[in-house]
Amino acid sequence: MAAVSVRDVSIAFGSMPVLDRLSIEVAAGEFLVLLGPSGCGKSTLLNAMAGLIDVEDGEIHFGERNVTWEEPKDRGVAMVFQSYALYPRMSVRENLSFGLRMARTQKAEIEARVARAAAMLQIEHLLDRRPSELSGGQRQRVAIGRALVRDADIFLFDEPLSNLDAQLRNELRVEIKRLHQRLADTTMIYVTHDQIEALTLADRVAVMKDRRIQQLAPPAEIYNRPANLFVAGFVGSPRMNFVEGRIEAPDGALVFRAGDRRLALDAYEFARRPAPGSAATLGVRPEHIGVLEAGEDVHAWSGLHVDIVEPMGADSLVWCRDGETTLAVRMAGEKPIAPGAAVRLVLDPARASLFDPASGERL
Amino acid sequence: MAAVSVRDVSIAFGSMPVLDRLSIEVAAGEFLVLLGPSGCGKSTLLNAMAGLIDVEDGEIHFGERNVTWEEPKDRGVAMVFQSYALYPRMSVRENLSFGLRMARTQKAEIEARVARAAAMLQIEHLLDRRPSELSGGQRQRVAIGRALVRDADIFLFDEPLSNLDAQLRNELRVEIKRLHQRLADTTMIYVTHDQIEALTLADRVAVMKDRRIQQLAPPAEIYNRPANLFVAGFVGSPRMNFVEGRIEAPDGALVFRAGDRRLALDAYEFARRPAPGSAATLGVRPEHIGVLEAGEDVHAWSGLHVDIVEPMGADSLVWCRDGETTLAVRMAGEKPIAPGAAVRLVLDPARASLFDPASGERL
Amino acid sequence: QEAEVIHWWTSGGESAALQEFVSRFEAAGGTWVDTAIAGGTNARTAGINRIVGGDAPTAMQFNTGRQFEEVAAGGLLNDIEAVASRGGWRDLIPASFVDAISYDGEIYAVPVNIHGQNWMFYNNAVLEEAGVAPPQTWEDVLAAAEKIEAAGKIPFAQGGEPWQERTLFNAVLAGHGGPELYDRLYAQNDVAALDTEEFRAVADVFGRLRAIVDEGSPGRSWNETTNLVVTGRAAMQLMGDWAKGEFLAAGQTPGEEYGCALVGANEALIIGGDVFVFPATDDEAQRAAQEMLAEVMFSPEAQIAFNNVKGSIPVRSDVDVSGMDACAQRGAEVMSDPAKQVPQVNLVASSDLVGAVDDVITQYWNDPSMDADAFVARFREAMEIAG
Amino acid sequence: MHTMLTKERERLPVRVDVATPAGSARRARRRIRPSTLFALAPMAVVVGVVYLGAMAWTVRLSTTSSKLLPTYDFVGLDQYERLFANARFLVSLQNMVVFGVLFIAACLVLGFLLAVLIDQRVKAEGLLRTIYLYPHALSFIVTGLAWQWFLNPELGLQRAVREAGFESFAFAWLADGETALYALVLAGVWQSSGLVMVILLAGLRGVDPDLWKAARVDGIPAWRYYLSIVLPLIGPMIVTATVLLAIAVVKLYDLVVAMTKGGPGIATEVPAKFVMDHLFERANVGLGTAAATVMLVTVLAVLTPWLYARYGSTSGRPA
Amino acid sequence: MTSAVVTSTDRARGGITARGRRPRRLTAGRIGLYAFLASAALFFLLPAWIMLLTSLKPMEEIRQGTIFALPLAPTLEAWAAAWGSACTGLTCEGISVGFWNSVRILVPSVILSVLLGALNGYALSFWPVRGANVLFAILLAGAFVPYQVFLYPLVRMFSSVGIYNSLAGIVLVHVIFGMPIMTLLFRNFYASLPRELFNAARVDGGGFFTIFLRVMLPMSTPILVVAVILQVTGVWNDFILGLTFAGRENLPMTVQLNNIVNSTHGVRLYNVDMAATVLTGVVPLAIYFVTGRWFVRGIAAGAVKG
Ligand SMILES: Nc1ncnc2c1ncn2[C@@H]1O[C@H](COP(=O)(O)OP(=O)(O)OP(=O)(O)O)[C@@H](O)[C@H]1O
Ligand SMILES: Nc1ncnc2c1ncn2[C@@H]1O[C@H](COP(=O)(O)OP(=O)(O)OP(=O)(O)O)[C@@H](O)[C@H]1O
Ligand SMILES: [Mg+2]
Ligand SMILES: [Mg+2]
């Protein structure tokens, strides 16, 4: 039984369609992450699930219930808003407890839950302040706290961590994951544009674009076997490298070829086998490219030079270039290689992806 | 000549001090990033520079000018606000061009600049909408655009990318960097809590906490030689591991010792030499720990088991544990090691940091 | 000569009456510039403000009485002594009026009419139906009430505004207590008059009248109250002679559908009226216009014509009133006997005293639990403070 | 690029301390802005000349024996003695308080209710809004008459209902000194609650729509949302409305004149009418201005602590 | 973990529940809402109903009948009379006489006082100046003093400046008396706007007046509507100030209305009174209706997150 099932839902603002016959099923206890570019309708979908936006067409079911026309409060959802939406004239404590008080929860119970949420979010010292006296990040934490204290079956998060600093983000990410584990039956739907959040938190990730879901799969599959060019380019930071070329079969075995560089595809798991001679886009992640300095390996792509080195703390992004072709390579260390150095690159065909450049679909 | 020089500035909201005799100098053309936990006063400092908050005490100079009491509009700054602050009754186009129209810029010039900024931010199709018809990320992009079109000497950014998806964030980050390079004389001050942004964009990073600047240094130094425990813990994601122990000198050479585990400190560059026998906290980043499976190396820390493995796309975070001690190790690949496996860890003393646990200062 | 006149005669009947002055003034070569502002208070306020602001009109209306005394004292008015002496006004108008238009021995205002304030109007049909005769005394009024009520009618219609209540009280005072008591009280400010038997009786009668009015009285205007009599829902109303206008508008004639009476053995008629005063000016032309206005307004023809329309009695005793209606003729008849004339309170008492007394009367009238003793006590207080 | 700066953050404060010797850094806390002064100049002139001037003049006259025209003698507090011996004035003050409390409360409640309900995306919003507001457009001189008729037992509702067969029906608020004031409240509410509605509606339209969403998800009932979240949020608008209503209460005059003339008896007398009557009708400027002064002082006594807390002491906006 | 996207064709065939538009939700709450609004509307309309009925009756019927009785012989005569032929003093031109005077007073008074109020409110909210709040407090206290107290000193002041009895004089008086409320209205409205907006405009190079005109005023429409409503009503219905300060040539329409309605001893034509009142109210009513549509939703949306 799916905990949340969105069926053929269409939503438009005025004449502008935002969701178009979108369907998605979320299992009970699942942690689903909605990932997608800004403006693709993630918040809209979440709002529709919460009952805050009326759908134009289609249905939304929670378990066996058709909740399409139910009031938000009857749906048993908790939600964290992208824009905080804190009750401005109430103290933080009141913000947290208001929903509970409405539900006539016992006083002691309210206090306990508020205290727990406050401790979890490190906002104990702010409990008596007003939202206007908080910094951006503090507000966001209160907003999360407001959802945490509720005893909902379904949690909806709309980019809850986007205004937090990295440390807190990490901690809260772990908290949310833990929360999800503790409340085993709770379904969580989480909108984010943070890769790490999506990949670490999700049981499954739904990548959205253009009013549709592009791919719905566990994080590893999203990351390793993106269903199309968009997903491949969107997920993963630094971004996947793309190289235009053709599929050839010079001696029976398929080979990807771009200019005079080649990649044997024996180890590649095809989704559908392309005809030899057809155009293809090779996608390979920066961390799946190895750098050779000595010249022994014949499979290596040569003729590239280091263009820029971007230090990123633990590792660095090395931009290797030859005319039009630029490949980003992730290397450990801070200055692993000097700009200008000639490099030879080894691509891992088993971890690479191939796409049909016309349709964008995975080959 | 410093482009921006904040001298002994104190600011309080009511009786609550937010900045306390804070001083900072930013060179002309420099890119300074302010990094700090939520609520530490980053936005406040930025607002004071823009002239939006009157300082209680101290002065602010731009170049040779004392601008402490100058109007914001006379300071020649452009600013992106954390809370968007778009003009609700103006279309996106009008929002972008408002400042230029204020400055009586030529019509054609305005159009050109707006078009360029819109293209850069991929908001061309939104130009005629009102802010209320935009998604969160779209609003933030407009807010950035509003600063981009202006021709200011000093750019102030308050977490401009926090609501954008990773792809756009990367692109804009590069755009901002490029903008900074193009406008060589433009000083940029940028508030963020994103590690990557701080480390890739900054010429120097100022880490703030508790009304003060904790460390002001180039990114590499912040990352590799954090001045104190706070900076060490705050910068870097995943977080630095901390191990409590003592400094000993069993045979003349200093050694860090925690329980029966030791780390020779021959290669460590001390900021100040501690007395043998004093307590110390060892900080070591997850990527500076190696994992051994075979048992040869005597320096390795043994007796730890893999607790959790967090896949993070390109690499994974492996949590190794022995009773109280937990060390996170960054390893390449997706499932580099199975939970439960016994591991032996090699720590790199040259990349580690040592702190005085009492004062938190770097040793 | 151009003359701007501020007055508060704005209703149809009133302006028709005024027109009699205008046409005569214009016939005499003047140009009448009319500034009509409804409501005596409004008009007076505007006029005084304009005088103070240095933009005085040529003439402005006041009620006959002491209202303009202070303005004259402030040197803000021109006297018209010359015109008055020439016309021998002092011999032609009631003595109480002469006092009222004089300040420091000189005449400052031209009186234009006499309004009888204490007429009892009654609906003949209703009285007949109830089987009672038109009342002669206040005891009659009270006695008739029961029968009228039995006939399903309101015995005594009374409007619920302080000035109407004052009018009623003064009518009882003059009618039941007599002109002498009235004079002691208001003109001489004699507090001892309150201790007399007569005053007790007045207070008593007035108190008993409270019981015979209808429930709808509070707040009701005099017009609506008159309409109750006009339409036969009520038997009687005590009102000034201007109420005839309502009967007239409904097509009724005095003596036929309705009648008018002066209640009280002594037939006292309380008289008041309107005057015009002339703000001070140095402008010779204005001065001339002012004198011309005074002359025209006081002229016998104008007096007859004006009062005929207005429903009031001419101030001059030397005019022929035979053309006027029955009530007016009756009024003129009473007027010929100075003993029966009672000046309206404003002519003799300060506005302040009138106001203070108003407050007491209205409290008594509207509070059924207040007895005559309390009323007398309050009355005394008011006289002591404001007198 | 950043040669000016040393790496040691410890050095910065030292350097800067030298650059700004103690004392010179202390400055006026606020910048003087000519355009602000220019913009506020008309207000300053009006306050200084008209309001303060007229208030001072009023107080001065209240210590004179002025009758119809102002005179400038000095009689001390005689007028006040007289004033406080005056039953009508005391009743007036009491009426003002009773009327004020009832009227303001009723207007705020009804106005808020209407604003909230109209905010529920109802059909014909524009029409309803105008219907609720129109009484404000009509002069009370005549609408008061309509009310008077309606409330008059012999003409209005009572008669109509009785004629319809309910003989014992009684509705005679205006006729009874005990209830006449409530009739005034009723008519006052009729006239003013529409205005309160639009003011509050203006406030409601400024509330972040996301709050409504959050509240709905939180399961907060609509009434509670409006009461606990929106109401405090539109506090400034409520203050505005309350001040407007309070001004109307203190100046209450037309309504009384049109409906009761202060009656029955003096049951519905109010201070403004007292002032008016004495200033003009009764030609007693001294007493009238004394009454006006008492009104002013009363208002100030109520207002000052509030004004001070709100606007006087702090420089900026209320938090 | 359940499977992937359910395709729409599967679903269409399955036909689990009837899909479609939101059921028309005439719930109890909604009905109650409309019931309340409607009964409130009735309450508000009642006096108007009495006035309309009365204005359509000839005087004879008014004398005879009850106030709720429908007119037996409805006639528009009273309306015609009220507009064009009712006498006020010697002139018998109804209330139409002062109409243009009222308009000439109304337009500048409303524009000036609303603008000045907005400017004051804006300055007080965003540009703190020492002492400004004290001024405002005095202004507010002054609003509680009855007008009438001001009349005499103002007359003296105005005549000494030479604007007594002129259009400029009456406009100035309206601006003066409108100032406390207008200022309060805008001040409190601006206090609830997000300060970040103001900050953004300042950084964008806006000065005092540009921010006011280009950023704040456009955001103020709901409160502008309220301010206009208040001022239009106040100025249009004002009688005593117009009478005192406007001078003979500029007397507003309400003076005529008052003359028709308020004559103390004359005969009252209730039907004409009622018609005249409604006619006088037409201008404010029209303005309410027209400005009302500026009352759009959500001014702050998109401006601030917190
Ligand atoms: N108007 C205010 N009144 C009172 N306190 C305030 C106000 N604005 C901010 N603060 C407090 O001042 C401190 C600094 O706020 P600031 O907005 O500068 O933080 P920040 O560093 O920008 O945080 P974040 O990263 O979360 O945006 C916070 O503790 C906040 O609670
Ligand atoms: N009230 C509205 N009126 C018109 N268009 C709107 C409205 N709200 C949102 N939109 C549009 O609908 C689309 C989807 O908006 P939504 O808020 O769901 O995006 P999102 O995926 O949450 O983006 P982000 O990551 O930037 O928050 C956007 O293109 C936005 O411009
Ligand atoms: Mg969103
Ligand atoms: Mg901030």
Side-chain angles (χ1 to χ4, degrees), chain A residues 126 129 132-138 163, chain B residues 13 16 18 36-45 82 158-159 191 193:
Chain A
L126 305 174
R129 288 215 205 148
S132 62
E133 299 164 355
L134 301 178
S135 73
Q138 289 166 336
N163 274 299
Chain B
F13 287 115
M16 194 184 60
V18 173
S38 178
C40 71
K42 306 181 295 290
S43 301
T44 307
L45 176 58
Q82 193 173 4
D158 196 349
E159 315 199 12
V191 169
H193 44 238

Side-chain angles (χ1 to χ4, degrees), chain D residues 43-260:
Chain D
M43 183 167 115
V45 171
V46 166
V47 167
V49 176
V50 179
Y51 284 91
L52 276 182
M55 284 187 231
W57 185 80
T58 304
V59 175
R60 171 69 186 94
L61 278 189
S62 72
T63 60
T64 67
S65 62
S66 303
K67 291 292 186 186
L68 176 66
L69 295 174
T71 53
Y72 296 96
D73 57 348
F74 182 78
V75 297
L77 296 181
D78 283 5
Q79 302 286 11
Y80 292 92
E81 265 173 46
R82 213 189 131 181
L83 192 64
F84 284 103
N86 189 318
R88 174 172 159 193
F89 185 69
L90 298 178
V91 169
S92 299
L93 281 183
Q94 189 190 328
N95 281 344
M96 180 172 87
V97 173
V98 174
F99 177 89
V101 170
L102 292 177
F103 167 76
I104 293 180
C107 278
L108 286 179
V109 169
L110 185 60
F112 182 65
L113 215 60
L114 290 176
V116 164
L117 295 184
I118 275 213
D119 201 35
Q120 308 303 309
R121 299 164 197 276
V122 295
K123 293 215 168 64
E125 176 191 321
L127 182 67
L128 284 174
R129 211 175 33 222
T130 313
I131 287 179
Y132 299 150
L133 191 54
Y134 90 91
H136 196 243
L138 300 182
S139 154
F140 225 102
I141 302 170
V142 167
T143 50
L145 184 70
W147 270 105
Q148 202 187 316
W149 285 356
F150 175 71
L151 294 169
N152 187 304
E154 301 290 314
L155 293 173
L157 191 65
Q158 176 173 312
R159 174 168 163 193
V161 175
R162 284 189 183 173
E163 280 176 5
F166 302 93
E167 282 299 333
S168 60
F169 179 81
F171 183 69
W173 281 9
L174 266 192
D176 186 345
E178 305 273 304
T179 52
L181 197 61
Y182 305 133
L184 287 185
V185 172
L186 186 71
V189 169
W190 170 79
Q191 192 192 30
S192 300
S193 50
L195 184 68
V196 175
M197 176 206 66
V198 283
I199 292 175
L200 297 189
L201 197 56
L204 286 185
R205 296 282 148 103
V207 172
D208 180 3
D210 268 3
L211 278 176
W212 171 229
K213 294 184 178 180
R216 284 176 74 193
V217 171
D218 253 1
I220 290 158
W223 65 271
R224 201 54 208 264
Y225 165 75
Y226 279 103
L227 223 58
S228 298
I229 298 167
V230 172
L231 203 59
L233 203 59
I234 58 171
M237 291 290 118
I238 295 197
V239 169
T240 308
T242 310
V243 171
L244 281 183
L245 294 174
I247 290 175
V249 168
V250 175
K251 290 187 171 173
L252 177 66
Y253 176 74
D254 283 11
L255 181 61
V256 177
V257 169
M259 282 184 62
T260 64

Side-chain angles (χ1 to χ4, degrees), chain C residues 4 7 9-11 14-15 18-19 22 32-40 42 46 49-50 52-53 55 163 221-224 227 231 233 242 245-246 249-250, chain E residues 59-60 62-65 87-92 151-152 155-156 159 164-165 239-240 243-244 247-248 251 255 258-268 270:
Chain C
E4 187 196 348
H7 62 91
W9 286 327
T10 52
S11 75
E14 289 169 333
S15 11
L18 187 72
Q19 187 59 44
V22 177
W32 178 286
V33 179
D34 193 58
T35 301
I37 300 162
N42 290 331
N49 277 326
R50 283 185 54 184
V52 171
D55 181 30
W163 72 266
S221 71
W222 72 269
N223 314 60
E224 288 163 60
N227 265 322
T231 56
R233 260 179 280 157
W242 52 82
E246 289 288 333
Chain E
M59 269 314 286
E60 200 46 42
I62 296 173
R63 284 202 193 89
Q64 307 292 343
C87 291
T88 72
L90 292 182
T91 45
C92 289
L151 287 187
Y152 188 85
V155 167
R156 299 293 285 263
S159 67
Y164 179 64
N165 274 357
F239 159 71
I240 189 79
L243 181 60
T244 311
R248 264 187 62 80
L251 284 180
V255 173
N258 180 66
N259 286 351
I260 289 176
V261 165
N262 246 2
S263 51
T264 346
H265 287 177
V267 176
R268 280 187 77 168
Y270 292 115

Side-chain angles (χ1 to χ4, degrees), chain B residues 99-112:
Chain B
L100 297 177
R101 281 182 286 143
M102 287 302 92
R104 305 227 183 294
T105 313
Q106 294 271 303
K107 231 178 179 165
E109 168 76 6
I110 293 184
E111 267 168 39

Side-chain angles (χ1 to χ4, degrees), chain A residues 18-30:
Chain A
V18 173
L19 300 180
D20 183 18
R21 294 176 75 77
L22 184 142
S23 298
I24 195 169
E25 304 237 328
V26 189
E30 186 172 3

Side-chain angles (χ1 to χ4, degrees), chain B residues 262-284:
Chain B
R262 292 154 182 257
L263 187 67
L265 296 176
D266 311 327
Y268 184 78
E269 267 186 52
F270 279 98
R272 56 192 174 87
R273 268 193 112 73
S278 58
T281 302
L282 173 74
V284 58

